[in-house]
Amino acid sequence: MIQKPKNLAPANISENAELVLSKRYYRKDSDGNCIETASDLFWRVASAIAEEEKKYAKSNYQPEELAEKFYSVMTNGYFLPNSPTLMNAGSPLGQLSACFVLPVGDSIEEIFDAIKYAAMIHKSGGGTGFSFSNIRSKDSRVGTTGGVASGPVSFLRIFNTATEQIKQGGTRRGANMGILRIDHPDIMEFIRAKEQEGEFVNFNLSVALTEKFMEAVEKGEDYDLIDPHSGAARGTLNAKEVFDILVNKAWISGDPGIVFLDRINRDNPTPQQGEMQSTNPCGEQPLLPYEACNLGSINLSKFVIPNKTSDNKEEAVDWDSLKEIIHLSVRFLDNVIDASKFPLEKIAEKVRTNRKIGLGVMGFADMLFALELPYNSEEALQLAEKIMEFIQTEGHNASRQLAEERGAFPAFSESIYKDGKPLRNATVTTIAPTGTLSIIAGCSSGVEPIFALAFARHVMDGERLVEVNPYFENALKSCDLYTNELMDAVTNVGSIASFDFLPQHIRDTFVTAMDISAEAHLRMQAAFQKYTDNAVSKTVNLPNNATIQDIDRIYRLAYTLGCKGVTVYRDGCKSGQVLNIGSKK
Ligand code: ADP
């Protein structure tokens, strides 16, 4: 155990961050009282992760020195690891990854094993993804009993109920991804599964689309349904008709989303070890069966050089500091793999074979505010590419350096990287939603535009937080335009798009998710995807009056732009949406 230095600067966190941390992240005594502060938490995490450095004789760092560095990057809000690391590092549970994918086989034993494993993962704060594509279709024969099978969707219901019942041991309620291939005979039932509100609430559902299917949509052709058990064709459907229904259901409820399976597998770094059939719950992390991945996010808003006035916005980005933080973050995330205790030996084995990590970003919208760049501008897209290219390049450099110190990931010699310089990690970059991390860091989430300039946020167990965007507040104050009346008006509608009385440059810069076209959302996703090893968590927000054709266009454009999947959300289509415009302070 690394001793906490006496002169360590205390963590300085916001009231909102304190609320979130005290609810689920601080360690508690048997009466449920918090027994740590934010500083204690960050030291617990920093020291537990730095402790792993002791294993590696060739490291340039002393563990004590590294612990202080990790503490400093987290408490200064430059980088945060995913929630399970913050919750469990240095504690007996010790499960530190957010993302898991479990196989679901075509037998009762295998199906219930998957439910059990998922329960164990949820208990530790991780999320699980499953492909149900291997389960034989409804009404097909069951050899051992002579009866008929109930099909993937009926089993999906059991997974959902099990998740509901596991109020997780001091962490959070489970999140799941359920995936079915477009050529599974039960695909129509799956597409309609979330038609009724309140069904499968613990699942995000996505249909795995193949390139063959997308071509059939374009040509208006039929395609074959294949029974996974026998491999036999089980009839045909018209691709365009199925696509239309899929789009229609997504318009109604946001589900199902889509993932492009062939594209995901084309980027599979270790194809010899099997095929990727599913992603984690929010879609940003495709994984092999029994694989897990730990994520971490760099807060981009911290890398804007203040008062740097230049037409070239890239000059106002502090690239040197960013590089330093990328290298530290990669080391941190690689150490997390060693520090993590996995709920199943099979998972531990797989994780330690590929050593995938997912370094991404948050605070991108804040960065754009600070640079006065509209999110829906060409320059913002260029900046996104530039930044993510830099993170990917430096992230890979950092992983190569770790490989020199510690060896390549064990499956390196059979990976797609085998002809290059050894890497420590099969994947390095992923863009997570950072739903909670962004509250702790006090920045905008992931690569999303902000949802509203002033809003009420409901987090965990109905808790309500109200926030006015600080960049917006400063910009208004510097022009002497900030008034309480104006803030009330902004809280009511979230956006200033219709406030003609405000200066044009302020209205252009401070755009929200609702002011931006669906295409601009998607182009940003594609810009980040271009330099991301795994995938990008992004929601394409649409106004309530968006049409089915709008969603049709978005799904097709996602395919054309090279995205790995897409999630749409039409405002107001679910009654319990997390972020609400219109709630007053
Ligand atoms: P955080 O900000 O808490 O670190 P993110 O919002 O970035 O988490 O989500 C990252 C991943 O963490 C998700 O894709 C999912 O795999 C997992 N995850 C998120 N929320 C939950 C939850 N409530 N239960 C289980 N896993 C979750």
Side-chain angles (χ1 to χ4, degrees):
M1 190 57 196
I2 303 171
Q3 276 298 318
K4 187 174 180 178
K6 292 218 165 57
N7 57 354
L8 213 55
N12 187 10
I13 59 164
S14 71
E15 219 174 286
N16 289 348
E18 180 63 29
L19 196 67
V20 168
L21 290 179
S22 61
K23 235 179 150 104
R24 297 278 168 92
Y25 292 63
Y26 291 153
R27 294 171 90 173
K28 302 208 168 66
D29 64 17
S30 51
D31 296 329
N33 304 309
C34 293
I35 53 165
E36 63 180 9
T37 61
S39 304
D40 296 336
L41 177 147
F42 288 118
W43 181 257
R44 165 168 59 75
V45 176
S47 56
I49 303 308
E51 187 90 23
E52 297 301 324
E53 205 71 15
K54 290 182 179 163
K55 282 200 215 136
Y56 301 111
K58 278 204 206 159
S59 170
N60 293 327
Y61 285 102
Q62 290 302 319
E64 293 75 14
E65 173 202 1
L66 195 61
E68 285 193 47
K69 278 190 185 289
F70 286 165
Y71 177 86
S72 163
V73 293
M74 290 189 286
T75 51
N76 286 310
Y78 292 116
F79 162 85
L80 286 175
N82 58 206
S83 285
T85 304
L86 293 176
M87 290 166 171
N88 305 329
S91 78
L93 190 56
Q95 195 298 102
L96 311 181
S97 292
C99 313
F100 292 78
V101 163
L102 291 170
V104 188
D106 185 33
S107 70
I108 292 295
E109 285 84 348
E110 288 166 295
I111 291 169
F112 282 85
D113 272 351
I115 294 174
K116 174 176 152 193
Y117 300 154
M120 290 156 75
I121 291 166
H122 290 174
K123 231 172 89 175
S124 67
T128 41
F130 314 89
S131 161
F132 291 88
S133 302
N134 299 324
I135 299 181
R136 78 192 69 183
S137 57
K138 201 173 177 170
D139 300 332
S140 55
R141 287 269 149 225
V142 178
T144 46
T145 61
V148 287
S150 37
V153 177
S154 68
F155 287 115
L156 184 59
R157 198 172 298 283
I158 309 177
F159 281 75
N160 187 61
T161 309
T163 305
E164 190 68 40
Q165 299 313 317
I166 309 156
K167 294 284 155 63
Q168 295 162 42
T171 56
R172 49 190 182 175
R173 174 177 280 212
N176 297 297
M177 170 65 88
I179 285 186
L180 197 71
R181 282 178 66 99
I182 192 75
D183 53 9
H184 191 285
D186 292 4
I187 191 64
M188 295 314 296
E189 190 186 0
F190 183 82
I191 289 174
R192 295 194 168 109
K194 287 184 85 161
E195 214 165 31
Q196 304 290 333
E197 197 166 345
E199 285 279 28
F200 301 106
V201 286
N202 300 306
F203 268 85
N204 293 323
L205 297 183
S206 276
V207 175
L209 302 183
T210 55
E211 242 135 65
K212 212 166 142 189
F213 173 80
M214 289 307 286
E215 280 163 24
V217 172
E218 290 301 322
K219 294 182 189 148
E221 288 174 353
D222 290 354
Y223 73 105
D224 288 334
L225 298 176
I226 313 284
D227 183 73
H229 184 61
S230 62
R234 285 277 301 270
T236 57
L237 288 173
N238 181 275
K240 173 76 171 59
E241 283 171 19
V242 173
F243 192 75
D244 284 349
I245 297 170
L246 176 62
V247 164
N248 189 291
K249 299 303 159 200
W251 180 83
I252 294 172
S253 69
D255 275 291
I258 52 175
V259 294
F260 297 116
L261 205 56
D262 302 332
R263 196 167 280 171
I264 284 175
N265 276 296
R266 212 170 294 144
D267 284 351
N268 179 356
T270 56
Q272 308 251 18
Q273 288 182 45
E275 193 190 332
M276 299 213 251
Q277 295 191 348
S278 182
T279 69
N280 70 328
C282 303
E284 71 276 15
Q285 188 65 49
L287 290 169
L288 296 167
Y290 291 120
E291 207 172 21
C293 184
N294 59 298
L295 313 177
S297 302
I298 290 177
N299 176 1
L300 290 175
S301 70
K302 293 279 179 180
F303 297 88
V304 178
I305 303 168
N307 306 321
K308 176 113 185 173
T309 44
S310 159
D311 281 346
N312 182 353
K313 304 288 183 183
E314 285 172 16
E315 286 174 13
V317 176
D318 187 348
W319 299 101
D320 293 339
S321 308
L322 183 57
K323 179 174 167 182
E324 192 187 327
I325 299 294
I326 295 166
H327 282 252
L328 262 178
S329 305
V330 169
R331 184 173 292 272
F332 184 108
L333 295 175
D334 190 61
N335 285 10
V336 168
I337 299 173
D338 294 335
S340 190
K341 297 180 191 131
F342 293 100
L344 264 185
E345 196 39 46
K346 270 192 260 195
I347 297 178
E349 251 173 54
K350 199 85 187 162
V351 171
R352 301 207 163 116
T353 304
N354 294 328
R355 302 193 68 89
K356 285 183 184 168
I357 57 171
L359 178 63
V361 298
M362 55 185 166
F364 177 64
D366 285 345
M367 175 185 238
L368 294 180
F369 285 164
L371 295 172
E372 294 185 11
L373 265 186
Y375 189 96
N376 49 349
S377 64
E378 270 311 310
E379 288 137 291
L381 288 174
Q382 280 164 19
L383 185 69
E385 284 198 14
K386 179 92 205 258
I387 285 176
M388 208 53 215
E389 183 181 16
F390 187 76
I391 293 176
Q392 191 181 45
T393 305
E394 286 307 328
H396 282 220
N397 287 343
S399 182
R400 287 199 185 96
Q401 194 172 330
L402 287 177
E404 277 176 30
E405 288 173 26
R406 309 171 168 191
F409 62 95
F412 176 77
S413 57
E414 59 175 51
S415 75
I416 57 169
Y417 296 113
K418 66 177 190 301
D419 298 326
K421 249 177 121 183
L423 278 162
R424 178 69 174 159
N425 314 91
T427 67
V428 177
T429 51
T430 301
I431 297 185
T434 72
T436 321
L437 294 190
S438 59
I439 303 176
I440 300 172
C443 64
S444 60
S445 52
V447 296
E448 298 288 1
I450 65 162
F451 187 73
L453 290 161
F455 63 86
R457 187 199 284 266
H458 301 272
V459 282
M460 299 191 283
D461 303 341
E463 205 69 52
R464 191 169 166 275
L465 305 173
V466 173
E467 289 170 26
V468 175
N469 182 274
Y471 294 88
F472 177 56
E473 188 173 332
N474 283 343
L476 287 180
K477 282 184 174 162
S478 69
C479 316
D480 235 357
L481 287 166
Y482 188 93
T483 64
N484 288 340
E485 292 71 41
L486 177 60
M487 280 311 103
D488 269 352
V490 177
T491 305
N492 280 337
V493 288
S495 143
I496 53 169
S498 62
F499 292 11
D500 308 353
F501 54 89
L502 289 174
Q504 193 62 43
H505 76 276
I506 291 202
R507 288 169 57 206
D508 287 345
T509 301
F510 292 97
V511 286
T512 68
M514 286 303 164
D515 304 329
I516 294 168
S517 71
E519 189 170 330
H521 277 281
L522 204 59
R523 288 197 185 275
M524 192 55 85
Q525 178 179 336
F528 277 101
Q529 181 62 68
K530 204 164 161 189
Y531 297 103
T532 302
D533 300 337
N534 294 298
V536 177
S537 168
K538 175 89 188 73
T539 302
V540 174
N541 286 96
L542 296 153
N544 186 262
N545 64 2
T547 61
I548 293 172
Q549 289 72 30
D550 290 333
I551 295 186
D552 183 284
R553 208 167 35 84
I554 289 306
Y555 274 20
R556 288 172 196 254
L557 190 62
Y559 180 67
T560 318
L561 289 178
C563 297
K564 289 192 173 165
V566 66
T567 306
V568 295
Y569 187 77
R570 192 169 57 88
D571 188 39
C573 74
K574 276 179 196 156
S575 50
Q577 70 189 49
V578 180
L579 299 163
N580 271 320
I581 292 178
S583 313
K584 283 217 176 152
K585 222 173 191 175

